[in-house]
C-alpha cells in the first residue's frame, strides 16, 4: 500500500495548497502550482515531467504578488491560468498569462490579463469549464456566484451575471459540470447547490453538511463525488440526490480534496489532512441500476475499495491533480510545499 | 330227454360223445376219454382218426399180432361194432322223436295265428273311436279353459292394483312402525308400475306414496345424520337411501359439511385451550399443568370427531370405492387437512404471543394426539405427514419468532436506556444499558437454547422426527440472528429515525441524531458478543445441537461462529470509530464556529481565555464520562514511539533528511525550513494510531483528532498579532487539562505546538505574548473557573 518508490518529488520554497494540471499542454505532462506564504514573495511554478518520466523539471518560475489560495489552469490555453489570492486582509482573483519564455528562465513577471474584481467577500475559487473552449468563467465567493465572460485577446472580463446564494450559506467551493456547460455545483455549509447558469437559479441540491470538495465524474454524466470533513467520500447520482450511491471511508482526519480520474470512471483520488493520498476504486455499480445492485452485492462491498494509500507526506495534503495527458499520473501537493508525482499504472495493470 | 341220467351214466356219456362228434366237424375235438385208449397207439391204429387206413391197420395188425390175439381182436371188434350199431339206432330214434314234436308245435302255431289278424283289426277300430271321442271332449272344453285363465290373470292384476292402492297406507304403517326396509321394498316393487302408469291411472296413488316416501327419506336422512343413532342403523339407512336412488353425492357432501362444521367447533375449542392454557400461567403461575381440563374436553371433542369420521366411512363403505376414495382422499383430506392447518395456524398465532417451549410442547402434544386419533380413522389422508410438515412450519416459525423476540429484547434494553438518557439520567444509564444489553444477549441466547433443548429432548414422535431439522433451524437461527443483530446495531448507530435504511447505514446523515453514547455501548457490546457470548453459545450448541445434517454437507454447518466473530469484531471497530467520529464532529463544529466567526485580522488584544476552550473541555469531559462507564481502563502509558499498528506517521526521520537536502538545494532556506529543522530533532510523532478499547485510547484519539482539526482551522485563517496571541493563550490554557486526560502526552504537546506554530505562520505580525502576561491570564481564568464551581478543586 505504501507507494513510496514511484514518487517523484519536487520542492517548493514555501507552503502551498494548490496544484493544477495544465490540460492544454498536449506535448508534456505539466502542472502549475502556487505557494501560500503570508510574508514572503510567492511563486508560481510550472513544472513538467521529464520525457523519461523520472524527474520533475521546473519549466517556469514566476513571482506572484500574493499568497495563492486557488489556482486553475485554463483548459484551452496552456499559458493562461487563474489564481485566487489573499493580501492578508482582502481576497482577489486574477487571470494570468505566462509570458513567452524563449528558453530563459529569468523572466519572472507574469502578465495579468485581468482581475475579477467584482467580489466583496472572500473569494473561494475560479472555475474554468473543464471540457473545452468556453469564453465563460465562474468565480465563487462566500456568498455570490459570478459568471464572467472573458476575452483574452482584449484582456477584459465582464460580469455577465451574478447571483447571491444567500448570506448564511457560506459557499466554500464548486465544480463545473463537464457534461453541461450550464450546470455548476457550489458547496455551502449545509448543502451542495446546483445552479443553472442561463437562469442563475438553483435547480437541485444535495442536503448534506460539511462538504469540503466536489468533483464531477468526467466520464459519467450525473455522477459526482464529494469529500467531507469527518465522514469520508460519497458518490452521488444527481438524479437521486437523497442518498449517496456509495461511501468510501475517506481519511483518518479530514478528507480535503477529491478528484475523479479523467479516463477511468471508477478511479478516485483523495487527499487528506492525515498526510496521505488515497486511491480508490469505486464499485462498478455506479451505473443506472445501482440501487438494486448496491443492496445485493454485499460481496463487492466487502472488497476493500482502497487501492493504494500514499503516506509519504510530511504534512496535510491539500492539492491533487490528475494529468489529463497521462491519466495514470497524478500530482499531489502537501502543505509543506512538496509536489509528488505518482503513477498508478502498476496498480491498474494488476486489476 | 335226460330221464335216465344217472343209471345210464356210462351210456349217456357215450351218447354225448357221439353226438358231439356228430355235430362237431373236427374229430380232434372229441373228448380225450375216447381217444385216451388209442392215443398211445400210432395214428394208424386210431380208428377214430380221419386218416385211418383200414388196410394198413389190417396189415399192421396181422403182422404184429398172433392168431390168438387176432381172434381176441376180432371178438373185441365185433362187440364194438354191435355197440356202435345200437348207439346209432338210439340216436336216430331220438332225433326222429324230436323232429316229430317240432312238427307238432309248428302245426299248433299255424292254427293259432289265423285268429290274430281279426283281433288286431278290431283293436285298431276301437282305438280310433277312442281318439275321436277325446278330440271331441277337448274341443268342447277349450273355450272354458281360456276364460278361466283370463280370469286368473285379471285377478292377479287386480291384486297388484290393490297393492298399489294400499301402498300409501302401507307405507304409512311402515313409517309408524319404522319398518323402513319393508317400506323401501314395497316402494321399489311398485316403482315399475308407477313408472309405467304413474302419470295417468295411479296419479293420486303415486303422489301419496311419493309423499310417504319423502317422509321416509327424510326420516332416513335424519337417521343418517343423527349422531345418536347407532352406526349400524345409520349404515342401513344409507343403504336404503341408496336403494331409493337418492343422490348419495349430495348426502356425502352434506355429511362432510357436517364434519367440517364440527371441525370448526373443534377449532373454537382449540382456541379456548390456548387461551385457557395461557391464562392460568399469567394469572397464577400454575406451571404444573396449564389448562388440563380444557385439554381433556378438547381431546373428547376430537375423539368425537374421529368417531364421526369412522361412522362416515362405515356408512359409505367402499362399494363405489373409487368415488368414495376420491371424495375421501380429496375432500376429507381437505377438510381434515384444513382442520389441522387451522390447528397449526392457531399455533402460529399462539407462537406470536410470548410462549415458552413447554407451552409449545404442550400444544404440539395435543395436536399430535389428535393427529394420531385421526390417523387411526383416516390413514389415506396421510395426516401424520401433513402434520409433520405443518409442525415443521410451526417450529420454524417458533424459532424465527423466538429469535426476533430476542432481537427485540436486546434492542429494547438498548433503546430504553436511550430514552432514559434523554430524560437526563446520565450518570448510570450507559453502564446499565451496557449491562442490561449484555445480559439480554447472553441470558437471552441461553434461554433460547434451553427452550430449544427442551423441545429437542422431548420424546414426542413428531418432534423426534423433526430433530435434525430443529437443530439446523436453531443453528441457522443463531447465524441469522447475529447477522440481524449486527444490522440492527448498524441501524441504531445510523440513527433511530433513519429514513434511508435501504441504502445500508448512512451514518453520516444521521450522526447528529444517533446518540453517541449508544454507539459506544454498541461498540462494547459487539466486543462482548465476540469475546464472550459467541464462545459460550458455540459451546452450548456443540453440546446439545450437534448433528442435524438435514442441510447436506456441502453447505457446511449452519452456525459459523468464526464468521460471526469476524462480523462483530469489525462492527465493534466500526462503532468505536463511529463514536470517535461523532464526538470529534461535535467538537469540530464548535471549533469551526470559533474560527470562522471572528475577523481574525482585526482581532482585539486578548484579555482572557476564550470561552470555546470551556466548551471544548466540557465536550471532552462528557466523552470521558461516557467512556468511563463503558470501556475498561487501559494501562496509562507515556508513549513516545512505541505505538503499534500505526497507520500514518506525521514525521519520518531518515526520509525527511534526504528530501530536505534535495529541497534545500533548490533554493535558499527560509523560516519554514527552520521550523522543519526544529521539528526534525523532535521524535517522530504518530498522530493517527489505532483506537483501542480503553478509556484512554478513545479519549486520546478524540483529543488528537480535535487538535488536528484545530490546527487545520488555524491554517485557513490569517491573524493579526492579537489574534495570534489569543490562539497562543487559548492553547496554552488547554495544555494542562488536556494532558491530564490523555494517554500520550508527547503527541498532544506536539499537536498543541503545531497549532501555535501554524498560527504564527498565518500571522502577519507574529509576536507572542510575554510569558508573565500569559501566565496571569491563565491564572485569572483558573480562578474564574474555581469561582464558578467552588466544589471542584
Amino acid at each position: 500500500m505504501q507507494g513510496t518508490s514511484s514518487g517523484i518529488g519536487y520542492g517548493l520554497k514555501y507552503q502551498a495548497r494548490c496544484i493544477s494540471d495544465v490540460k492544454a499542454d498536449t506535448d508534456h505532462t505539466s502542472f502549475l502550482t502556487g505557494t501560500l506564504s503570508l510574508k514572503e514573495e510567492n511563486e508560481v511554478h510550472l513544472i513538467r515531467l521529464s520525457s523519461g518520466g523520472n524527474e520533475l523539471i521546473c519549466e517556469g518560475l514566476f513571482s506572484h504578488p500574493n499568497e495563492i489560495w486557488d489556482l486553475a489552469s485554463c483548459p484551452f490555453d496552456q499559458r493562461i491560468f487563474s489564481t485566487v489570492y489573499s493580501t492578508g486582509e482582502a481576497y482577489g482573483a486574477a487571470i494570468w498569462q505566462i509570458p513567452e519564455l524563449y528558453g530563459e528562465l529569468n523572466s519572472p513577471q507574469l502578465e495579468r490579463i485581468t482581475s475579477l474584481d467584482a467580489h466583496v467577500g472572500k473569494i473561494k475559487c475560479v472555475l474554468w469549464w473543464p471540457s473545452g473552449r468556453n469564453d465563460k468563467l465562474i468565480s465563487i465567493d462566500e456568498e455570490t456566484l459570478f459568471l464572467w465572460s472573458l476575452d483574452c485577446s482584449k484582456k477584459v472580463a465582464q460580469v455577465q451575471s451574478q447571483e447571491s446564494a444567500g448570506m448564511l450559506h457560506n459557499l466554500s467551493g464548486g465544480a463545473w459540470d463537464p457534461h453541461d456547460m450550464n450546470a455548476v455545483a457550489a458547496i455551502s455549509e449545509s448543502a451542495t447547490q446546483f445552479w443553472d447558469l442561463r437562469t442563475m437559479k438553483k435547480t437541485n441540491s444535495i442536503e448534506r453538511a460539511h462538504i469540503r470538495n466536489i468533483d464531477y465524474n468526467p466520464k459519467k454524466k450525473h455522477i459526482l463525488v464529494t469529500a467531507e470533513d469527518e465522514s469520508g467520500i460519497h458518490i452521488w447520482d444527481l438524479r437521486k440526490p437523497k442518498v449517496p450511491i456509495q461511501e468510501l471511508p475517506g481519511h483518518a482526519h479530514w478528507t480535503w480534496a477529491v478528484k475523479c480520474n479523467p479516463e477511468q470512471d471508477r478511479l478516485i483520488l483523495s487527499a487528506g489532512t492525515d498526510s496521505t493520498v488515497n486511491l480508490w476504486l469505486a464499485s462498478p455499480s455506479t451505473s443506472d441500476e445501482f440501487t438494486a445492485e448496491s443492496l445485493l452485492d454485499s460481496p463487492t462491498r466487502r472488497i476493500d475499495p482502497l487501492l493504494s494509500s500514499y503516506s509519504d507526506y510530511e504534512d496535510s495534503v491539500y492539492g491533487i491533480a490528475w494529468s489529463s495527458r497521462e491519466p495514470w499520473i497524478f500530482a499531489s501537493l502537501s502543505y509543506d510545499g512538496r509536489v509528488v508525482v505518482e503513477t498508478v499504472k502498476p496498480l491498474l495493470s494488476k486489476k | 330227454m335226460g330221464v335216465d341220467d344217472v343209471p345210464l351214466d356210462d351210456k349217456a356219456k357215450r351218447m354225448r360223445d357221439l353226438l358231439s362228434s356228430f355235430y362237431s366237424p373236427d374229430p380232434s375235438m372229441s373228448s380225450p376219454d375216447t381217444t385216451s385208449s388209442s392215443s398211445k397207439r400210432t395214428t394208424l391204429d386210431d380208428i377214430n382218426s380221419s386218416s385211418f387206413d383200414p388196410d394198413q391197420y389190417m396189415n399192421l395188425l396181422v403182422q404184429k399180432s398172433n392168431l390168438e390175439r387176432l381172434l381176441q381182436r376180432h371178438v373185441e371188434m365185433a362187440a364194438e361194432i354191435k355197440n356202435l350199431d345200437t348207439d346209432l339206432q338210439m340216436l336216430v330214434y331220438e332225433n326222429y322223436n324230436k323232429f316229430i314234436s317240432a312238427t307238432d308245435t309248428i302245426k299248433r302255431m299255424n292254427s293259432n295265428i289265423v285268429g290274430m289278424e281279426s283281433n288286431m283289426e278290431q283293436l285298431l277300430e276301437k282305438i280310433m273311436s277312442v281318439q275321436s271321442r277325446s278330440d271331441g271332449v277337448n274341443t268342447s272344453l277349450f273355450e272354458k279353459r281360456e276364460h278361466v285363465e283370463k280370469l286368473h290373470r285379471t285377478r292377479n292384476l287386480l291384486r297388484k292394483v290393490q297393492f298399489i292402492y294400499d301402498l300409501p297406507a302401507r307405507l304409512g304403517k311402515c313409517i309408524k312402525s319404522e319398518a323402513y326396509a319393508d317400506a323401501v321394498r314395497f316402494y321399489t316393487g311398485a316403482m315399475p308400475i308407477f313408472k309405467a302408469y304413474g302419470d295417468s291411472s295411479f296419479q293420486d296413488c303415486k303422489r301419496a306414496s311419493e309423499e310417504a316416501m319423502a317422509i321416509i327419506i327424510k326420516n332416513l336422512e335424519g337417521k343418517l345424520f343423527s349422531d345418536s343413532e347407532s352406526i349400524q342403523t345409520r349404515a342401513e339407512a344409507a343403504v336404503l337411501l341408496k336403494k331409493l336412488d337418492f343422490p348419495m353425492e349430495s348426502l356425502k357432501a352434506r355429511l362432510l359439511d357436517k364434519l367440517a362444521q364440527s371441525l370448526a367447533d373443534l377449532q373454537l375449542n382449540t382456541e379456548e385451550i390456548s387461551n385457557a392454557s395461557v391464562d392460568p400461567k399469567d394469572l397464577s403461575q400454575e406451571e404444573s399443568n396449564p389448562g388440563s381440563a380444557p385439554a381433556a374436553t378438547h381431546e373428547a371433542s376430537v375423539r368425537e370427531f374421529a368417531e364421526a369420521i369412522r361412522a362416515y366411512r362405515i356408512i359409505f363403505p367402499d362399494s363405489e370405492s373409487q368415488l368414495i376414495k376420491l371424495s375421501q382422499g380429496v375432500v376429507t383430506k381437505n377438510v381434515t387437512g384444513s382442520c389441522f392447518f387451522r390447528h397449526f395456524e392457531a399455533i402460529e398465532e399462539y407462537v406470536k404471543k410470548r410462549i415458552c417451549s413447554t407451552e409449545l410442547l404442550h400444544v404440539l402434544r395435543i395436536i399430535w394426539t389428535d393427529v394420531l386419533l385421526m390417523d387411526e380413522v383416516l390413514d389415506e389422508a396421510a395426516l401424520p405427514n401433513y402434520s409433520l410438515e405443518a409442525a415443521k412450519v410451526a417450529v420454524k416459525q417458533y424459532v424465527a419468532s423466538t429469535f426476533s423476540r430476542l432481537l427485540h429484547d436486546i434492542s429494547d434494553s438498548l433503546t430504553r436506556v436511550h430514552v432514559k438518557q434523554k430524560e437526563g439520567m446520565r450518570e448510570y444509564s450507559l453502564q446499565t444499558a451496557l449491562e442490561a444489553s449484555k445480559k439480554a444477549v447472553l441470558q437471552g441466547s441461553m434461554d433460547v437454547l434451553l427452550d430449544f433443548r427442551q423441545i429437542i429432548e422431548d420424546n414426542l414422535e413428531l418432534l423426534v422426527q423433526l430433530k435434525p431439522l430443529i437443530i439446523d433451524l436453531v443453528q441457522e437461527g443463531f447465524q441469522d440472528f447475529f447477522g440481524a443483530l449486527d444490522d440492527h446495531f448498524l441501524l441504531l448507530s445510523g440513527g433511530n429515525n433513519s429514513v434511508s435504511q435501504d441504502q445500508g447505514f448512512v451514518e453520516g446523515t444521521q450522526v447528529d441524531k444517533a446518540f453517541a453514547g449508544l454507539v459506544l455501548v454498541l461498540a462494547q457490546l459487539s466486543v462482548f458478543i465476540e469475546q464472550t457470548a459467541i464462545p459460550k453459545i458455540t459451546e452450548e450448541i456443540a453440546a446439545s445441537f450437534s448433528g442435524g445434517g438435514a442441510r447436506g454437507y456441502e453447505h457446511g454447518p449452519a452456525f459459523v461462529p468464526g464468521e460471526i466473530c469476524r462480523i462483530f469484531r469489525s462492527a465493534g471497530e466500526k462503532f468505536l470509530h463511529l463514536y470517535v467520529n461523532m464526538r470529534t464532529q461535535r467538537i469540530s463544529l464548535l471549533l469551526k464556529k470559533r474560527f470562522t466567526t471572528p475577523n481574525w485580522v482585526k482581532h482585539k488584544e486578548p484579555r482572557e481565555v476564550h470561552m470555546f476552550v470551556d466548551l471544548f473541555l466540557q465536550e471532552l469531559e462528557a466523552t470521558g464520562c461516557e467512556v468511563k462507564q463503558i470501556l475498561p481502563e487501559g494501562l496509562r502509558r507515556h508513549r513516545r514511539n512505541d505505538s503499534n499498528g500505526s497507520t500514518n506517521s506525521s514525521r519520518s526521520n531518515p526520509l525527511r533528511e534526504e528530501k530536505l537536502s534535495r529541497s534545500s538545494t533548490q533554493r535558499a532556506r527560509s523560516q519554514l525550513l527552520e521550523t522543519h529543522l526544529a521539528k526534525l530533532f523532535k521524535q517522530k510523532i504518530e498522530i493517527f494510531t489505532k483506537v483501542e478499547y480503553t478509556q484512554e485510547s478513545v479519549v486520546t484519539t478524540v483529543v488528537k483528532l480535535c487538535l488536528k482539526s484545530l490546527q487545520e482551522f488555524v491554517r485557513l485563517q490569517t491573524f493579526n498579532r492579537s489574534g495570534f496571541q489569543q490562539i497562543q493563550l487559548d492553547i496554552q490554557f488547554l495544555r494542562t487539562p488536556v494532558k491530564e486526560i490523555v494517554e500520550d502526552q508527547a503527541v498532544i504537546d506536539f499537536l498543541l505546538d503545531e497549532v501555535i506554530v501554524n498560527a504564527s505562520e498565518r500571522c502577519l505580525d507574529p509576536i507572542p505574548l510575554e510569558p508573565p502576561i500569559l501566565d496571569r491570564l491563565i491564572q485569572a481564568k483558573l480562578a474564574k473557573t474555581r469561582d464558578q464551581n467552588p466544589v471542584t478543586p
Side-chain angles (χ1 to χ4, degrees), chain B residues 536-581:
Chain B
K536 267 196 181 163
I537 289 166
T538 312
E539 213 173 275
E540 192 69 19
I541 283 181
S544 48
F545 291 92
S546 53
R551 270 164 65 98
Y553 288 102
E554 67 269 22
H555 298 292
F559 181 64
V560 191
E563 194 190 325
I564 295 171
C565 280
R566 194 182 52 71
I567 289 173
F568 277 94
R569 195 178 314 126
S570 72
E573 274 166 23
K574 208 181 279 167
F575 289 136
L576 197 63
H577 190 68
L578 183 60
Y579 174 74
V580 169
N581 252 353

Side-chain angles (χ1 to χ4, degrees), chain A residues 114-217:
Chain A
T114 181
S115 294
L116 309 175
D117 45 10
H119 286 277
V120 191
K122 257 190 191 176
I123 305 172
K124 291 296 182 181
C125 62
V126 174
L127 302 176
W128 301 82
W129 190 51
S131 298
R133 188 172 284 275
N134 187 5
D135 58 352
K136 301 288 192 296
L137 204 62
I138 291 170
S139 61
I140 296 172
D141 72 17
E142 274 179 328
E143 286 164 24
T144 328
L145 196 76
F146 283 86
L147 178 66
W148 302 80
S149 78
L150 176 72
D151 191 334
C152 290
S153 53
K154 288 186 190 154
K155 302 193 175 181
V156 273
Q158 282 173 331
V159 177
Q160 194 172 0
S161 53
Q162 70 180 75
E163 183 61 44
S164 168
M167 282 286 279
L168 298 170
H169 283 293
N170 235 340
L171 299 178
S172 60
W176 201 333
D177 190 346
H179 305 283
D180 185 353
M181 204 189 276
N182 295 312
V184 71
I187 42 182
S188 74
E189 209 155 65
S190 57
T192 302
Q193 304 163 346
F194 297 92
W195 296 79
D196 189 327
L197 293 177
R198 290 163 295 198
T199 58
M200 283 311 248
K201 292 267 185 288
K202 263 185 264 186
T203 56
N204 198 355
S205 72
I206 294 174
E207 298 296 332
R208 196 165 176 96
H210 313 302
I211 290 180
R212 193 154 286 283
N213 195 238
I214 188 166
D215 193 27
Y216 278 95
N217 190 322

Side-chain angles (χ1 to χ4, degrees), chain A residues 199-331:
Chain A
T199 58
M200 283 311 248
K201 292 267 185 288
K202 263 185 264 186
T203 56
N204 198 355
S205 72
I206 294 174
E207 298 296 332
R208 196 165 176 96
H210 313 302
I211 290 180
R212 193 154 286 283
N213 195 238
I214 188 166
D215 193 27
Y216 278 95
N217 190 322
K219 281 285 143 187
K220 281 198 169 156
K221 214 176 166 180
H222 305 300
I223 305 293
L224 55 82
V225 183
T226 61
E228 288 167 42
D229 281 0
E230 265 92 6
S231 34
I233 300 161
H234 291 92
I235 303 172
W236 303 83
D237 188 320
L238 283 183
R239 291 159 296 186
K240 294 170 185 177
K242 291 265 182 281
V243 265
I245 310 169
Q246 205 191 349
E247 288 182 51
L248 303 170
H251 290 257
H253 197 234
W254 299 350
T255 308
W256 188 272
V258 65
K259 282 276 179 292
C260 295
N261 188 281
E263 292 301 326
Q264 273 272 344
D265 63 296
R266 288 169 58 199
L267 217 51
I268 293 167
L269 195 68
S270 70
T273 49
D274 59 349
S275 315
T276 55
V277 171
N278 287 347
L279 183 67
W280 308 92
L281 189 67
S283 72
S285 59
T286 47
S287 61
D288 289 342
E289 315 81 51
F290 63 88
T291 31
E293 268 179 70
S294 62
L295 285 177
L296 291 174
D297 59 358
S298 49
T300 57
R301 210 198 240 173
R302 246 175 245 160
I303 293 170
D304 195 355
L306 182 64
L307 271 188
S308 179
S309 181
Y310 305 90
S311 56
D312 189 22
Y313 298 93
E314 300 298 315
D315 210 331
S316 307
V317 183
Y318 297 124
I320 41 172
W322 286 102
S323 160
S324 50
R325 186 173 163 268
E326 291 174 281
W328 55 89
I329 284 174
F330 71 86

